[in-house]
Amino acid sequence: MGKILGHLKTITAHKILVGKLCFRCHLYRQGLTHDLSKYSYIELKTGFKYYTGKASPIDGEKRDKGYSLCWLHHKGRNRHHWEYWLDDGPEHIIAQKMPYKYAIEMFCDGVAASMIYQKADYRDDSALIYYESHRHSRLIHEDTDRLLTMLYRYLADNGLDKTIELIRKGIDY
Ligand SMILES: [Zn+2]
């Protein structure tokens, strides 16, 4: 029971926080629907089984089985993940450019995850440090990568309010 409640609390707290950030960026529909598939049976099953309270249950499932059906289900349905936009071309996999609204949702997701995982240690540069440390293993369209790097850096230098102001104005992308 502890794991079930713990997992539900974690995903709901994350969803509410991303929702608030999306609303501030005027992405109302995405603010409401963000990560809804986490409440599906297949994703909940992994969440409950591998819940630790410290790390993602998906990482636990991958360590155990070598792959995570939960993650494959999740990234195939949620357009704010860069992995959703990987498509096969004639010779190799191609990373498609993420539409602006999904790139912004990905930005909000990164900020919320940093806030929730780091708690009192969260700073304006937390999301930038996380994004940059995972960059080498990502296959993401160069324009999308440039936009996200710029936004996380802008956040680190100017704070959240100013960054959201910039997002609302719209950025050439
Ligand atoms: Zn997600």
Side-chain angles (χ1 to χ4, degrees):
M1 198 60 187
K3 281 175 145 192
I4 290 178
L5 279 180
H7 179 65
L8 286 174
K9 254 174 85 177
T10 305
I11 61 175
T12 305
H14 174 75
K15 183 164 167 40
I16 290 171
L17 191 49
V18 177
K20 280 186 186 161
L21 292 169
C22 282
F23 268 58
R24 289 185 68 190
C25 296
H26 296 167
L27 298 175
Y28 303 108
R29 194 192 163 87
Q30 288 164 257
L32 294 172
T33 57
H34 179 82
D35 272 353
L36 260 189
S37 74
K38 282 191 183 165
Y39 297 87
S40 63
Y41 174 73
I42 181 169
E43 292 189 34
L44 281 177
K45 203 170 77 172
T46 297
F48 294 157
K49 184 169 177 197
Y50 294 96
Y51 174 80
T52 63
K54 285 177 214 116
S56 162
I58 288 167
D59 294 341
E61 187 177 35
K62 283 188 186 175
R63 257 195 309 278
D64 190 13
K65 297 186 183 165
Y67 67 98
S68 168
L69 269 186
C70 168
W71 171 244
L72 295 172
H73 185 269
H74 188 82
K75 63 109 179 171
R77 282 162 184 77
N78 293 273
R79 295 176 191 203
H80 62 278
H81 288 287
W82 58 269
E83 295 92 331
Y84 178 97
W85 298 94
L86 297 180
D87 200 359
D88 42 356
E91 271 146 47
H92 50 76
I93 307 241
I94 298 167
Q96 303 292 346
K97 181 168 167 170
M98 290 172 75
Y100 183 70
K101 62 181 183 178
Y102 297 117
I104 298 304
E105 188 180 348
M106 180 176 168
F107 168 79
C108 293
D109 198 17
V111 173
S114 299
M115 284 174 170
I116 285 182
Y117 280 121
Q118 303 207 357
K119 295 189 180 79
D121 295 329
Y122 173 81
R123 294 189 327 224
D124 282 339
D125 64 354
S126 298
L128 174 68
I129 292 168
Y130 183 82
Y131 185 77
E132 295 208 312
S133 68
H134 286 75
R135 211 161 163 211
H136 64 281
S137 61
R138 289 183 170 172
L139 192 55
I140 184 167
H141 190 281
E142 59 178 326
D143 292 349
T144 307
D145 179 54
R146 200 178 305 123
L147 174 68
L148 282 160
T149 304
M150 185 277 279
L151 284 173
Y152 285 128
R153 187 160 293 140
Y154 195 88
L155 167 64
D157 294 341
N158 301 283
L160 191 57
D161 292 348
K162 288 234 167 68
T163 311
I164 287 174
E165 226 172 88
L166 180 72
I167 290 170
R168 280 194 205 151
K169 272 192 223 145
I171 300 157
D172 264 338
Y173 161 62

